[in-house]
Amino acid sequence: MTAIVTRFAPSPTGFLHIGGARTALFNWLYARHHGGKMLLRIEDTDRQRSTKEAIDAILDGLSWLEIGWDGEVLYQFSRAARHREVAEALLAVGHAYRCFATPEELQAMREAARREGKSFRYDGRWRDRDPAEAPAGVAPAIRLKARQDGETVVEDLVQGRVAWKNAELDDLVLLRSDGNPTYMLSVVVDDHDTGISHVIRGDDHLNNAARQAQIYEALGWEIPRMAHIPLIHGPDGSKLSKRHGALGVEAYRAMGFLPAALRNYLVRLGWSHGDQEVFTTEEMVALFDLDRVGRSAARFDFAKLESLNGIYLRAMSNDEALAAIEQLLPHLPDGRKIAARINNKRELLNTAMSGLKERAKTLVELIDSANYLLVDRPLELDDKAQGLLAPEARALVARVIKLLETVDPWTVEATETAMRAFAEREGVKLAAVAQPLRAALTGRSTSPGIFDVLTVLGKPESLARLKDQVGVAATA
RNA sequence: GCACCCAUCGUCUAGCGGUCUAGGACGUCGCCCUUUCACGGCGAAAACACGGGUUCGAGUCCCGUUGGGUGCGCCA
């Protein structure tokens, strides 16, 4: 068995989207599982559309997802000379030829094909023609002289045996008339030269696999094992477009998802291990293999991602959760402001974190739920909180303040004992007093347990917030 | 249009000829817990696209239909 080498080869024409992220993950897991390597290759041969920003976004996205690659990043364009050399070599041995067809001629062929209801295929008009007949002033492209009989077969690790009649395939361009290599050629040469053993990519490349197989054959090179994994669709089943859901991974970060949760969600799209839903990274590496990858496309489901994210959030320690929040802050629109507020309240946040974590699905929700710890008095009440503090409720709060003032020590147990006794004395349910208190203390209708809130806030702050709501001047 | 791929609950999936009156998870609904919201626990509704074969026996194999997807550039 040769060494396992996979690669993730995105083109830098946009951000790292969710499908690309999963492809990277599968490549990474496969390599790690088999003790091999995963290379990163930026396919930047389209000089018009490749951008530095896209490259940065891809690198940043992979780093955030904690998907590492081996060795240096390979920029495909830097290898153009080598690609040209291979094309020339193919020309020299007669497996390729110069094609002088003009863009206009090609366009005419395309239109003719459309009119006849056939798919476009280059008609091979220069395949056997003497280059001496070349029209003056036309720079030729180099095309592969592909076999026209028989079939091209790809034994795909995921899709199984896939065959195309060679008559369906035309002579693809290897080298453009401007001397630059095409994607088809570059991929084959780079995969070969870097010793790629397994090509794992989206099944939108399945048809390309046939063309590439032809190039390998012409070159006499061994074809790497292929694995075309199914695509991820939008929630409505159609192609993941920018309209709905085709977000860059940085968008998922900004939504407050954890990299580990996203990896876990992604690995279960197309791959399974019995009924297991939650996997540590170590388990994924140990368990992942291509034979458990399915062949049908999956739809992206935010609800499930959120659920998983909640599981990961709850499993974190308070310190980890706080660290995750602080790492996220720079990526949030108002992160600076929040960071400043958190700064001197880290201790407080940490204490409250146990109760907060339990209730949040994302880091954004977690931050939002911690808001009551970060704001200054007097609190702004949201509508529901406002509703909870009707006049009678305020009167109740006024009465409970007196009682609370006597509580000492200020602990969960002591405040609970006091308040339960109070509710009984008043002849009301605990909820009747707890809810107005919650509203006054947090400005909202939901929060962690009220006794926890009381304790986290501390006696002076708690009493002050309560007094704010009954119109009694706080004695700060 | 042509080529290729796909097809189990709303969604992700288990199922690799008999153990399937089809299992799990998310979501939905109900109940319990309960100071709110979550968490947790219990329970319910919910699927083998359709039609032919093959076989003693098909969700599982084959063919077709339908539906969906991808590709069809001197883009990647």
Side-chain angles (χ1 to χ4, degrees):
Chain A
M1 191 73 184
T2 48
I4 301 294
V5 184
T6 65
R7 55 30 166 218
F8 176 53
S11 65
T13 53
F15 40 49
L16 175 64
H17 59 84
I18 209 71
R22 188 186 54 156
T23 300
L25 178 63
F26 279 22
N27 272 286
W28 183 74
L29 287 173
Y30 190 77
R32 296 271 316 258
H33 176 80
H34 291 284
K37 291 184 157 97
M38 181 185 92
L39 273 29
L40 176 62
R41 183 172 74 225
I42 304 293
E43 312 226 310
D44 56 351
T45 54
D46 183 340
R47 304 314 288 168
Q48 307 302 320
R49 297 197 298 154
S50 297
T51 65
K52 174 80 166 62
E53 293 69 47
I55 293 173
D56 289 343
I58 291 166
L59 263 29
D60 179 53
L62 289 174
S63 307
W64 176 66
L65 274 171
E66 298 159 321
I67 295 176
W69 57 90
D70 295 291
E72 296 293 306
V73 178
L74 178 67
Y75 291 88
Q76 190 160 56
F77 184 68
S78 70
R79 293 180 33 85
R82 163 64 176 156
H83 303 153
R84 261 191 291 279
E85 173 189 310
V86 172
E88 295 291 347
L90 243 17
L91 193 60
V93 298
H95 277 139
Y97 61 94
R98 289 186 219 276
C99 170
F100 294 87
T102 61
E104 293 71 36
E105 287 180 71
L106 260 13
Q107 191 53 38
M109 270 182 243
R110 235 184 297 277
E111 279 160 18
R114 185 187 305 269
R115 232 178 296 122
E116 293 167 39
K118 291 190 289 204
S119 67
F120 168 71
R121 231 172 288 145
Y122 169 67
D123 63 9
R125 60 182 59 180
W126 285 94
R127 185 179 166 99
D128 298 306
R129 200 155 153 192
D130 186 347
E133 294 176 31
V138 176
I142 295 181
R143 286 185 185 267
L144 178 74
K145 197 170 199 170
R147 284 182 45 200
Q148 293 177 311
D149 59 333
E151 54 180 21
T152 295
V153 174
V154 169
E155 292 290 346
D156 194 274
L157 261 18
V158 170
Q159 305 291 337
R161 181 182 190 275
V162 186
W164 294 261
K165 290 185 180 62
N166 285 330
E168 299 288 344
L169 278 14
D170 64 359
D171 290 342
L172 64 276
V173 171
L174 261 15
L175 211 60
R176 300 187 181 95
S177 52
D178 66 0
N180 284 127
T182 61
Y183 161 78
M184 288 295 176
L185 206 224
S186 303
V187 170
V188 168
V189 175
D190 287 348
D191 282 342
H192 171 266
D193 288 1
T194 54
I196 301 300
S197 65
H198 291 72
V199 171
I200 303 170
R201 79 236 287 198
D203 72 11
D204 49 339
H205 282 285
L206 187 54
N207 287 291
N208 291 335
R211 329 299 304 273
Q212 288 158 206
Q214 292 181 314
I215 300 177
Y216 277 103
E217 190 183 1
L219 253 10
W221 290 348
E222 190 186 340
I223 303 179
R225 298 311 309 267
M226 301 275 192
H228 289 92
I229 63 180
L231 300 178
I232 299 173
H233 291 159
D236 64 352
S238 65
K239 189 181 177 182
L240 210 48
S241 73
K242 288 186 181 90
R243 278 199 172 70
H244 56 287
L247 305 167
V249 293
E250 70 282 349
Y252 292 87
R253 168 169 61 193
M255 284 186 273
F257 291 110
L258 268 4
L262 188 54
R263 286 197 303 270
N264 197 146
Y265 176 71
L266 252 18
V267 81
R268 285 285 291 102
L269 250 35
W271 176 80
S272 63
H273 180 258
D275 285 338
Q276 191 170 347
E277 298 283 352
V278 180
F279 299 84
T280 64
T281 301
E282 292 68 32
E283 285 176 312
M284 279 186 212
V285 169
L287 265 16
F288 186 84
D289 216 332
L290 258 12
D291 57 0
R292 298 295 313 168
V293 174
R295 288 185 290 183
S296 52
R299 298 188 189 198
F300 195 86
D301 181 10
F302 270 103
K304 186 141 185 184
L305 208 211
E306 284 190 343
S307 158
L308 219 33
N309 206 59
I311 292 173
Y312 277 82
L313 220 43
R314 271 174 261 131
M316 287 179 127
S317 70
N318 292 349
D319 285 334
E320 287 168 335
L322 196 51
I325 286 176
E326 296 196 303
Q327 277 165 29
L328 171 63
L329 256 16
H331 303 284
L332 294 184
D334 51 353
R336 243 193 154 71
K337 220 169 21 176
I338 299 170
R341 288 205 211 128
I342 287 180
N343 200 35
N344 58 340
K345 293 190 170 170
R346 212 171 261 111
E347 201 73 18
L348 189 67
L349 249 184
N350 205 296
T351 319
M353 198 53 78
S354 307
L356 261 19
K357 271 186 326 197
E358 200 74 13
R359 279 154 246 267
K361 293 252 193 283
T362 67
L363 287 172
V364 169
E365 283 181 26
L366 185 59
I367 292 168
D368 183 61
S369 72
N371 188 259
Y372 79 96
L373 294 167
L374 307 177
V375 292
D376 294 320
R377 293 181 35 229
L379 267 57
E380 271 180 52
L381 308 184
D382 68 16
D383 290 348
K384 284 180 183 168
Q386 201 76 56
L388 251 18
L389 283 168
E392 321 82 73
R394 284 180 199 261
L396 203 63
V397 172
R399 267 172 274 150
V400 85
I401 286 174
K402 291 204 173 56
L403 171 70
L404 254 18
E405 277 173 334
T406 69
V407 172
D408 183 65
W410 191 257
T411 61
V412 170
E413 294 73 24
T415 52
E416 176 161 6
T417 306
M419 275 182 54
R420 282 192 188 280
F422 174 80
E424 200 167 331
R425 223 180 309 132
E426 292 277 335
V428 297
K429 284 187 167 177
L430 184 56
V433 31
Q435 278 305 81
L437 234 54
R438 189 183 319 277
L441 256 17
T442 69
R444 308 209 178 161
S445 58
T446 66
S447 81
I450 195 66
F451 310 114
D452 289 321
V453 170
L454 245 12
T455 322
V456 168
L457 245 22
K459 187 169 182 180
E461 179 69 18
S462 296
L463 290 173
R465 289 188 182 195
L466 293 178
K467 285 173 184 171
D468 285 342
Q469 297 307 325
V470 293
V472 178
T475 47

